[in-house]
Amino acid sequence: MAAKVQPAVASVTATRRLGLDAASILAALPDPVLAVGGDDRINYVNAAGEQFFDTGAASLLGTPLSELLPIDSPLFALMASVRLTGHSVSEYGVTLESPRLGTHIVTIQVAPLIEESDRLVITLQERSIAHKMDRQLTHRNAARSVTGMAAMLAHEVKNPLSGIRGAAQLLEESAGPGDRELTRLICDEADRIVALVDRMEVFSDRRPLDRGPVNIHEVLDRVRLIAQSGFARHIHFLAAYDPSLPPVLGNRDALIQVFLNLVKNAAEAAPVHGGEIQIATAYRHGVRLAISGSDNRLQLPLAVSIVDNGEGIPEDLRPHLFDPFVSTKHNGTGLGLALVAKVIDDHGGIIEFDSQPRRTVFRVFLPLASGESDA
């Protein structure tokens, strides 16, 4: 009877059959990769790791990590957690610093080797997910800055506009046909500005959200039904749900608003013919966000992805996509994604995106209703 081949062994066998060398593949990766033994000494480092530590492999191999990083570095706590639980862990927005390294804000991913649980593989991502999470904090600040502006506009703009509109209506009563067209234009433009300010007033609502257990799949099904009944009739929807997901801690109506906005943007980006949107959910074990200035870690294991096959987001807009008044639409106000950022922030979650031609992904990470920790 033939022995059952484990997936990891099968993968290695397939790699060898293709004539590929694992070390060459690891060396080509742009992110630093380390392997450490039970004594925390470095057993392997790729080329990106040499650049990150500014030291050659010959000097790094056999070196304890404690000689490169202070013993209270968050990395050591993550390594201890992985050895204790046997599960891989990812943590975003972690600061690694030492006199030798300087300061780096990175994503750390630590995973045990299948056959040697004491030996760990560590990946550091400085300019991908960590950069997006850091940028997300900027998005939060952008949304919060709109809060003060919205409150100011409500008072300083709406009141004068009301007077302007009233004066235009009085003039219209005694104006000739040609002038009435102009007074009507004044009224219409005043109404348009008031409507814009009304939309911005949402940002000035400082009341905490009424949150409770929410079935995220019921929210997404409702969003999909609304979309397919209206603005996304021409879109083919795909659902890839993890049915085992526990409830999210959230506000049902606010989450519908968030995902309806994201799906609407995806539908507008997708091609008229062959447009496709995938809505996916997943449980991401060990996904945590380091809170700046605190030792706290935010547990965000529930992930929702909205994927479209449009042309992608222009490169110059990506750093400012969640800022107010930034829009790719001809007549867009640029408040939709700023509102999404605010609502996700109110939920204690984060949002990030990847964009390339034919595949743009918005991912929302949310906390669980149970408050379970997956540290």
Side-chain angles (χ1 to χ4, degrees):
M1 184 175 182
K4 185 177 179 181
V5 179
Q6 295 296 326
V9 177
S11 177
V12 172
T13 303
T15 300
R16 289 172 177 167
R17 189 182 302 123
L18 290 171
L20 299 174
D21 178 56
S24 298
I25 296 172
L26 289 171
L29 293 177
D31 298 319
V33 178
L34 311 171
V36 298
D39 56 359
D40 290 348
R41 292 181 181 272
I42 297 175
N43 300 150
Y44 171 82
V45 60
N46 67 349
E50 294 179 65
Q51 294 178 6
F52 184 84
F53 291 104
D54 196 24
T55 305
S59 298
L60 288 172
L61 294 179
T63 301
L65 276 178
S66 57
E67 292 187 10
L68 303 173
L69 294 167
I71 197 63
D72 61 350
S73 171
L75 176 57
F76 293 105
L78 288 176
M79 292 165 58
S81 173
V82 172
R83 287 189 174 120
L84 180 65
T85 65
H87 297 300
S88 61
V89 169
S90 300
E91 187 157 316
Y92 302 102
V94 179
T95 300
L96 293 184
E97 56 185 341
S98 71
R100 181 174 181 173
L101 278 182
T103 301
H104 298 267
I105 299 177
V106 298
T107 286
I108 300 176
Q109 295 176 313
V110 184
L113 285 178
I114 296 174
E115 298 177 355
E116 302 177 60
S117 59
D118 279 347
R119 181 171 291 181
L120 306 176
V121 177
I122 302 167
T123 305
L124 307 175
Q125 298 173 311
E126 190 171 13
R127 295 182 179 177
S128 53
I129 298 176
H131 177 67
K132 295 170 195 169
M133 296 302 154
D134 183 55
R135 187 170 64 200
Q136 168 60 21
L137 299 179
T138 303
H139 300 156
R140 289 182 174 184
N141 293 334
R144 289 168 183 168
S145 70
V146 182
T147 298
M149 184 168 59
M152 179 273 294
L153 284 174
H155 182 266
E156 299 296 335
V157 176
K158 289 178 73 173
N159 289 342
L161 278 176
S162 178
I164 292 171
R165 195 183 192 287
Q169 287 177 319
L170 289 174
L171 287 174
E172 186 176 7
E173 294 177 0
S174 58
D179 291 336
R180 283 178 185 170
E181 184 178 346
L182 294 176
T183 57
R184 177 47 48 193
L185 177 63
I186 293 172
C187 290
D188 289 345
E189 288 302 294
D191 290 342
R192 186 179 64 82
I193 296 172
V194 168
L196 176 62
V197 174
D198 285 341
R199 288 190 64 191
M200 291 190 62
E201 279 191 289
V202 176
F203 291 94
S204 64
D205 187 354
R206 298 178 182 271
R207 294 172 298 176
L209 277 177
D210 182 15
R211 292 192 291 165
V214 176
N215 185 321
I216 195 65
H217 296 140
E218 290 180 359
V219 168
L220 296 174
D221 284 340
R222 177 66 179 274
V223 167
R224 184 172 54 169
L225 179 62
I226 294 171
Q228 289 180 313
S229 302
F231 58 81
R233 287 192 186 93
H234 65 292
I235 298 293
H236 175 60
F237 278 82
L238 298 172
Y241 294 166
D242 179 349
S244 66
L245 288 184
V248 65
L249 179 61
N251 179 286
R252 182 178 182 274
D253 292 340
L255 289 174
I256 288 176
Q257 182 182 27
V258 162
F259 291 111
L260 193 59
N261 199 310
L262 292 176
V263 168
K264 190 172 189 296
N265 286 349
E268 292 173 347
V272 175
H273 301 291
E276 186 175 282
I277 294 175
Q278 182 186 66
I279 304 176
T281 61
Y283 189 92
R284 301 291 180 85
H285 183 88
V287 175
R288 307 190 297 188
L289 176 68
I291 301 174
S292 179
S294 169
D295 292 334
N296 295 332
R297 298 293 185 268
L298 194 60
Q299 310 290 334
L300 301 171
L302 196 149
V304 180
S305 302
I306 308 295
V307 187
D308 70 69
N309 62 340
E311 295 182 359
I313 300 168
E315 190 71 36
D316 59 330
L317 290 184
R318 295 180 190 182
H320 313 288
L321 193 62
F322 290 90
D323 293 348
F325 307 116
V326 174
S327 177
T328 59
K329 306 170 189 174
H330 179 65
N331 294 317
T333 60
L335 292 178
L337 286 177
L339 180 60
V340 166
K342 177 187 183 299
V343 174
I344 295 301
D345 182 24
D346 290 343
H347 278 78
I350 51 177
I351 181 171
E352 51 101 341
F353 67 92
D354 289 308
S355 185
Q356 53 188 313
R358 308 293 294 175
R359 182 176 172 81
T360 295
V361 186
F362 280 84
R363 295 186 186 90
V364 176
F365 295 88
L366 295 166
L368 299 181
S370 62
E372 294 175 354
S373 171
D374 59 341

